[in-house]
Amino acid sequence: MELPYAEPYKIKVVEPIYRSSAKEREQWIKKARYNLFNLQSDQVFIDLLTDSGTGAMSQYQWSEIMLGDESYAGSLSFLKLKNTITDLLGMPYFLPTHQGRAAENVLFSTLIKENDVVPGNSHFDTTKGHIEYRRARAVDCTIDEACHTSQFHPFKGNIDLEKLEAVFKNNPKENISLCIITVTCNTSGGQPVSMENIRDVSALCKRYGILCIFDAARFAENAYFIKTREKGYENKTIREIVKEMFSYVDGATMSSKKDAIVNIGGFIALRDKALFDKASVFNIMYEGYLTYGGLAGRDLGALAQGLMEGTEFDYLEARIGQVAYLGEKLRSYGIPIQEPTGGHAVFVDAKKFLPNVPKEEFQAQTLAVELYLEAGVRSVEIGTLLADRNPITRENRYPVLELLRLAIPRRVYTNNHMDYIAAALANIWERRESITRGFKIVSEAPIMRHFTIELERA
Ligand code: F0G
């Protein structure tokens, strides 16, 4: 028989986790104002809030922590990272930043001005936040298939070229700051973008003279999907695919807390020296000197090592295989999820799961609270709370997709944990008809409200 995949590592250090009682959870979540960000981590049994900065580093990454060169300028850890980025991504210039949104802040300070438009596939919330904060507009040009959770499409992160061209045609060129391709597309369900689409978007951008940039947080997972789903790439290595992906863009912002498997870090990679020089000024102002950018030398070394480990096929096969395993379990219980499962997370369709809860009472958030109460599993709402209010009308924006994200940290949990999560959701699925009320907002911040929002039962 053919041997199945298995994790290409074994566990050397473990972190105990506390399995609380339903009564404790009832008190804790009420005190947290039904916002799961407000929970203490020891009040959570399995933490699927995010795959960002929550991965387990390898012994080689921990070795880099010891080897870290903490020189203010010209650190050898910086050089190690610079060489890795040049070799792996083919980008000659890079700026370290303390995380992904800091990279966005620096690059967008260089590129975006008031009244600009920034098209792309669905922008991540900090990306959109940084665009809207500059009084510019993010335009979502994702293919329509992404909105139909039960419809299978191998590349639901793809950009609809007609929608993109309409943006290019309907706006003066000087008001289109850049086009962002988010790989994989977190907001639409950790869904990949095909190489063909990247190539076509890049060509369209070139034709209209628009800068094309990756939001590269999960670029390696995207490469894995290209290898396993796109014709012509089955025999290429992940690193060959990564190189080709990056060959089509002018640069990238990166949250290294995802596919580089570090607990903190980010960077901007660029092809053009003039743009690098402009961004450098903001990097020094906001992040730190050019050879550390808000990170310690040890972080830069661990990041360089993590980029190499994160682009190994065997690792990606086990990582994405675990996410698919959870998806398959949920599917077998009849639970509606975004199909196919994404790279870093399973996204449950909360509209279909809790149809009796009115959308004004936040279906996905209601499901997140239910899952916590049921089993101590912390997930995150990717729905109306995250979509925020329209910056002009201040009305709630109701996104087409109202999802509950189960983000799986890298190299952290076992498939027994996946079975436990699936069983918890199956229990809620059994009694879904009886869940009819959600939440109302008690207080919220003017932008990116979901982090600090306070709720009460409706
Ligand atoms: N871009 C994407 C696609 C992201 O998913 C994130 C973060 C960022 C940018 C910002 O990076 O957190 O390092 O500042 N996503 C996390 C998540 C927070 O849970 O999906 P950051």
Side-chain angles (χ1 to χ4, degrees):
M1 119 178 48
E2 197 181 331
L3 295 177
Y5 73 81
E7 287 70 13
Y9 52 84
K10 56 185 178 173
I11 298 165
K12 179 141 55 183
V13 178
V14 297
E15 178 180 343
I17 47 178
Y18 173 61
R19 197 166 161 188
S20 55
S21 69
K23 200 161 161 243
E24 284 174 316
R25 293 195 291 275
E26 185 74 55
Q27 290 167 356
W28 291 335
I29 193 70
K30 193 169 175 203
K31 199 157 171 246
R33 299 287 185 143
Y34 301 99
N35 177 345
L36 291 102
F37 284 96
N38 287 337
L39 290 171
Q40 257 173 230
S41 65
D42 61 356
Q43 296 168 339
V44 174
F45 182 49
I46 299 178
D47 206 345
L48 308 184
L49 184 68
T50 179
D51 63 319
S52 180
T54 53
M57 292 210 295
S58 70
Q59 60 182 0
Y60 302 109
Q61 288 180 287
W62 281 107
S63 309
E64 286 296 334
I65 296 281
M66 274 312 297
L67 293 172
D69 175 356
E70 304 304 339
S71 308
Y72 190 96
S75 149
L76 295 182
S77 306
F78 168 83
L79 279 183
K80 200 175 277 180
L81 179 56
K82 183 172 169 44
N83 291 337
T84 305
I85 289 175
T86 309
D87 287 351
L88 196 63
L89 312 182
M91 288 279 165
Y93 301 102
F94 108 97
L95 291 165
T97 64
H98 78 274
Q99 59 183 82
R101 68 200 70 183
E104 290 163 2
N105 187 34
V106 169
L107 189 66
F108 295 177
S109 294
T110 320
L111 295 173
I112 302 178
K113 56 186 188 317
E114 203 169 325
N115 296 324
D116 276 3
V117 291
V118 184
N121 48 0
S122 304
H123 305 70
F124 182 64
D125 57 333
T126 60
T127 321
K128 199 175 194 171
H130 273 296
I131 293 168
E132 291 180 349
Y133 178 73
R134 290 172 170 79
R135 296 181 188 283
R137 198 160 49 89
V139 186
D140 188 340
C141 301
T142 314
I143 56 168
D144 290 339
E145 286 88 335
C147 300
H148 303 287
T149 53
S150 55
Q151 194 177 327
F152 182 92
H153 186 293
F155 293 102
K156 276 185 172 176
N158 279 1
I159 290 179
D160 183 321
L161 295 168
E162 281 179 22
K163 289 186 195 172
L164 182 64
E165 188 156 18
V167 175
F168 289 171
K169 278 188 174 150
N170 298 334
N171 292 278
K173 187 179 162 214
E174 59 275 16
N175 285 119
I176 309 168
S177 339
L178 73 160
C179 170
I180 301 174
I181 313 179
T182 303
V183 286
T184 59
C185 188
N186 188 358
T187 311
S188 69
Q191 298 293 320
V193 182
S194 70
M195 191 72 90
E196 184 186 18
N197 193 248
I198 294 170
R199 201 183 300 127
D200 289 348
V201 168
S202 161
L204 198 62
C205 286
K206 278 206 179 75
R207 184 135 56 83
Y208 283 84
I210 306 296
L211 206 69
C212 186
I213 296 281
F214 273 150
D215 175 341
R218 300 179 182 85
F219 73 95
E221 292 175 1
N222 199 95
Y224 174 85
F225 284 119
I226 289 176
K227 181 173 168 69
T228 52
R229 291 185 187 165
E230 191 163 349
K231 216 169 162 303
Y233 289 92
E234 44 290 77
N235 297 323
K236 296 217 189 269
T237 67
I238 294 293
R239 290 188 193 134
E240 283 167 346
I241 294 170
V242 165
K243 214 24 155 341
E244 183 178 339
M245 284 168 61
F246 278 81
S247 74
Y248 298 121
V249 293
D250 300 296
T253 56
M254 172 75 185
S255 167
S256 308
K257 301 167 75 171
K258 284 85 171 172
D259 276 3
I261 331 178
V262 285
N263 304 120
I264 195 73
F267 61 83
I268 301 169
L270 292 170
R271 201 176 290 293
D272 178 49
K273 170 86 163 61
L275 183 55
F276 168 78
D277 287 342
K278 271 194 215 160
S280 295
V281 176
F282 290 103
N283 214 69
I284 292 174
M285 243 179 348
Y286 294 141
E287 290 297 289
Y289 183 62
L290 304 178
T291 61
Y292 72 86
L295 295 169
R298 54 183 173 270
D299 296 327
L300 300 170
L303 166 46
Q305 174 63 26
L307 281 170
M308 297 313 288
E309 292 177 18
T311 48
E312 279 168 13
F313 178 79
D314 288 356
Y315 151 74
L316 284 166
E317 184 178 43
R319 190 286 185 277
I320 292 173
Q322 183 173 56
V323 176
Y325 174 85
L326 175 60
E328 185 51 45
K329 276 258 146 173
L330 295 180
R331 203 176 291 127
S332 74
Y333 296 137
I335 295 169
I337 57 172
Q338 171 72 296
E339 300 282 3
T341 48
H344 68 297
V346 177
F347 289 69
V348 179
D349 187 331
K351 271 191 201 170
K352 289 189 188 154
F353 199 117
L354 294 180
N356 296 340
V357 173
K359 74 174 191 310
E360 294 77 10
E361 294 180 9
F362 312 113
Q363 292 154 303
Q365 182 66 14
T366 305
L367 187 54
V369 172
E370 284 295 331
L371 179 58
Y372 176 70
L373 287 171
E374 175 73 27
V377 176
R378 174 157 67 173
S379 54
V380 73
E381 189 253 22
I382 305 276
T384 310
L385 293 181
L386 182 80
D388 233 312
R389 291 178 189 271
N390 179 306
I392 295 153
T393 65
R394 302 305 300 156
E395 290 297 319
N396 272 320
R397 289 190 278 216
Y398 292 102
V400 183
L401 293 178
E402 179 75 21
L403 302 169
L404 179 76
R405 186 181 76 170
L406 309 166
I408 312 298
R410 293 166 182 78
R411 306 192 288 209
V412 169
Y413 293 114
T414 68
N415 282 3
N416 286 336
H417 291 111
M418 301 302 121
D419 290 343
Y420 176 96
I421 298 157
L425 272 165
N427 289 345
I428 305 168
W429 180 244
E430 291 254 299
R431 58 181 167 79
R432 65 190 181 281
E433 296 293 336
S434 66
I435 304 169
T436 56
R437 298 307 303 265
F439 292 92
K440 57 184 180 199
I441 297 174
V442 178
S443 77
E444 64 183 288
I447 194 162
M448 287 193 254
R449 63 180 178 178
H450 61 288
F451 289 116
T452 53
I453 203 157
E454 297 191 344
L455 303 167
E456 63 183 23
R457 286 199 182 275

